[in-house]
Amino acid sequence: MNILILGSGGREHSLAWAVSQNPKCDKLIVAPGNAGMDDIADCAVLDIEDGAAVVDFASAHSIDFVIVGPEAPLAAGVADTVRAAGLLCFGPSAEAAKLEASKAFTKEVCDAANAPTAAYAHFTEAAPAKDYIRQQGAPIVIKADGLAAGKGVIVAMDEATALDAVDDMLGGAFGEAGAEVVIEEFMEGEEASFFLLSDGKTVLPIGTAQDHKRAFDGDTGPNTGGMGAYSPAPVLSEDIAARALAEIVQPTVDEMAKRGTPYQGVLYAGLMIKDGAPRLVEYNVRFGDPECQVLMMRLGAQALDLMQACAEERLNEAQVQWADDHAITVVMAAKGYPGSYDKGTAIKGIDTLPEDSMNMVFHAGTSLKDGQLVASGGRVLNVTARGASLSEARDRAYAAIDQIDWPDGFYRKDIGWRAL
Ligand code: AMP
Ligand code: GLY
């Protein structure tokens, strides 16, 4: 099977790593890919948000299966175009991708599906939005409706912050994404991520994870795309996961099917858990980054079989082979991230690190300059390890970090603290 993965981050490196271990995989191309994937895949230049270009590229390279990593091509309808061309594709249609691309849409689907989530209202005008905030009081959560690269959510602990957020969003701070705002009840509890495959009908859980969104130790500092993650998430016990599937995810998938827009792909449910009950915070229509890295570390080669069964609408026949293991990933980021940071700084000491089923350094933002590995993004490396326990996995990951010589990078030293 010839496979094309779309994307360029650590998520896509881990997908490529898992897929390449499956004997079914003959040829693997990642577009655009990055410097870390050289030995397992060909990297190609391609506009991944242009469905017609993806189809042309896939035909020219005899691709059988396209796996879409990030949300932007999904929201742009790339999976629709690829499927319409008769190719197998892993990733939802643009209509189904609205579960991430529009928060108002998701809330409305949750209402229809009777799925527990925060109470809300949505607005396109500032005055009624502000009236609603004054009436509800703080804490309260203000969200830009559309895709805002993870920056469109303000958890306001006081009313003034909430009112300012409305002015910012409706004032154009997030462009089109903020032309509508969703205002939500503030939910208390512990957050965890639940990953499931859906073929439109059957839903198959493939793992749980927790990430660390703040930049610095002790969950301090600015919000980031994620500074580390681990799997499984102990807070998502078997009971709570079963409830989340029965009360939230399956009803959502059923509702999408009923509307004639079946959901096909991975569904990443962000949950808030309190007193043993899960509520939905948000859906993402792709794997999390860096959560994907820990899921792939645990699933290995079977990830390809599962994604294929999902795309071929045969999830009812699929089974996940679970090991009783733990995985952790620690993000090494460029100093300054998530603010401004230098590019092109040299990274050394990676070549000699073990790369096997227990240890992997996934690359998120690297390139090669005159044969030297350099940083080319904010989040740069995902140092990932597996173990019989979380503490074993953690020790392995941090031991690997000790070997990496990158004075211009930083990382959190407390990834996994909540579960340890
Ligand atoms: P989202 O982009 O929707 O995941 O929101 C980003 C983060 O904001 C989430 O991971 C939560 O930590 C927080 N958040 C979002 N919605 C709520 C809510 N209704 N109550 C409390 N926290 C929330
Ligand atoms: N790590 C959070 C996300 O991928 O959205």
Side-chain angles (χ1 to χ4, degrees):
M1 182 181 242
N2 296 335
I3 299 162
L4 171 64
I5 297 176
L6 303 183
S8 64
R11 167 179 49 210
E12 287 75 21
H13 187 183
S14 70
L15 286 168
W17 174 79
V19 161
S20 68
Q21 290 172 54
N22 193 307
K24 236 187 242 169
C25 175
D26 296 315
K27 177 161 82 179
L28 179 60
I29 305 179
V30 187
N34 70 40
M37 306 174 196
D38 275 358
D39 49 344
I40 53 168
D42 292 328
C43 293
V45 179
L46 176 63
D47 178 358
I48 64 167
E49 290 180 37
D50 178 345
V54 172
V55 168
D56 284 349
F57 181 90
S59 318
H61 293 85
S62 309
I63 295 296
D64 305 297
F65 189 23
V66 178
I67 297 170
V68 187
E71 64 277 16
L74 295 166
V78 167
D80 303 71
T81 312
V82 169
R83 271 194 281 273
L87 288 166
L88 199 60
C89 186
F90 180 77
S93 66
E95 211 35 56
K98 280 169 75 180
L99 284 177
E100 176 167 357
S102 167
K103 298 201 189 291
F105 175 81
T106 301
K107 299 303 277 190
E108 190 252 313
V109 170
C110 283
D111 283 349
N114 218 1
T117 180
Y120 77 108
H122 58 110
F123 303 92
T124 53
E125 301 289 336
K130 289 180 176 178
D131 286 346
Y132 183 77
I133 289 168
R134 289 190 192 99
Q135 193 190 332
Q136 299 293 316
I140 194 160
V141 182
I142 320 295
K143 300 185 175 186
D145 174 63
L147 292 178
K151 298 189 179 80
V153 175
I154 303 290
V155 179
M157 300 314 287
D158 59 80
E159 214 171 279
T161 306
L163 297 172
D164 284 350
V166 165
D167 281 331
D168 272 1
M169 287 183 194
L170 292 176
F174 297 102
E176 258 313 289
E180 182 169 353
V181 294
V182 171
I183 303 184
E184 273 186 16
E185 164 200 359
F186 173 79
M187 292 188 286
E188 281 175 14
E190 186 170 346
E191 279 187 86
S193 306
F194 194 17
F195 292 87
L196 310 103
L197 299 182
S198 162
D199 62 8
K201 212 159 120 193
T202 304
V203 181
L204 182 70
I206 56 163
T208 64
Q210 270 177 309
D211 75 347
H212 298 256
K213 290 213 164 87
R214 301 297 198 97
F216 307 132
D217 285 8
D219 287 332
T220 58
N223 262 315
T224 70
M227 292 300 292
Y230 51 95
S231 173
V235 63
L236 251 175
S237 64
E238 235 167 89
D239 278 4
I240 298 176
R243 272 188 76 168
L245 174 58
E247 296 172 15
I248 302 173
V249 182
Q250 187 71 55
T252 301
V253 166
D254 293 346
E255 175 64 24
M256 294 299 284
K258 198 171 106 194
R259 294 175 180 217
T261 52
Y263 188 90
Q264 212 182 76
V266 61
L267 199 52
Y268 156 178
L271 303 172
M272 191 69 83
I273 296 150
K274 193 174 172 233
D275 302 332
R279 288 206 283 169
L280 184 76
V281 178
E282 63 159 359
Y283 280 127
N284 292 304
V285 300
R286 50 167 174 87
F287 284 107
D289 189 347
E291 293 90 331
C292 187
Q293 289 82 316
V294 285
L295 293 178
M296 290 306 126
M297 200 79 204
R298 296 186 64 209
L299 291 170
Q302 66 177 320
L304 175 59
D305 303 317
L306 295 169
M307 290 189 282
Q308 184 187 358
C310 178
E312 291 175 345
E313 299 176 28
R314 311 183 273 103
L315 274 183
N316 59 332
E317 302 165 6
Q319 261 189 343
V320 184
Q321 304 300 326
W322 292 111
D324 189 13
D325 61 354
H326 296 256
I328 195 166
T329 188
V330 181
V331 172
M332 295 185 83
K335 279 181 185 161
Y337 172 81
S340 60
Y341 50 81
D342 288 338
K343 285 189 183 175
T345 55
I347 303 166
K348 296 187 178 136
I350 288 195
D351 298 350
T352 50
L353 290 175
E355 294 202 336
D356 52 37
S357 63
M358 302 305 265
N359 306 272
M360 268 305 295
V361 178
F362 296 117
H363 292 221
T366 64
S367 51
L368 282 174
K369 202 167 111 194
D370 306 326
Q372 167 67 52
L373 190 71
V374 298
S376 60
R379 290 190 294 173
V380 173
L381 298 172
N382 310 139
V383 182
T384 311
R386 207 156 68 96
S389 65
L390 183 58
S391 60
E392 188 188 313
R394 178 200 53 186
D395 292 348
R396 202 167 265 139
Y398 282 107
I401 285 184
D402 285 342
Q403 304 299 309
I404 297 176
D405 174 17
W406 181 34
D408 301 283
F410 78 99
Y411 58 92
R412 278 183 60 164
K413 295 175 184 62
D414 62 349
I415 300 303
W417 69 266
R418 205 183 282 275
L420 288 160

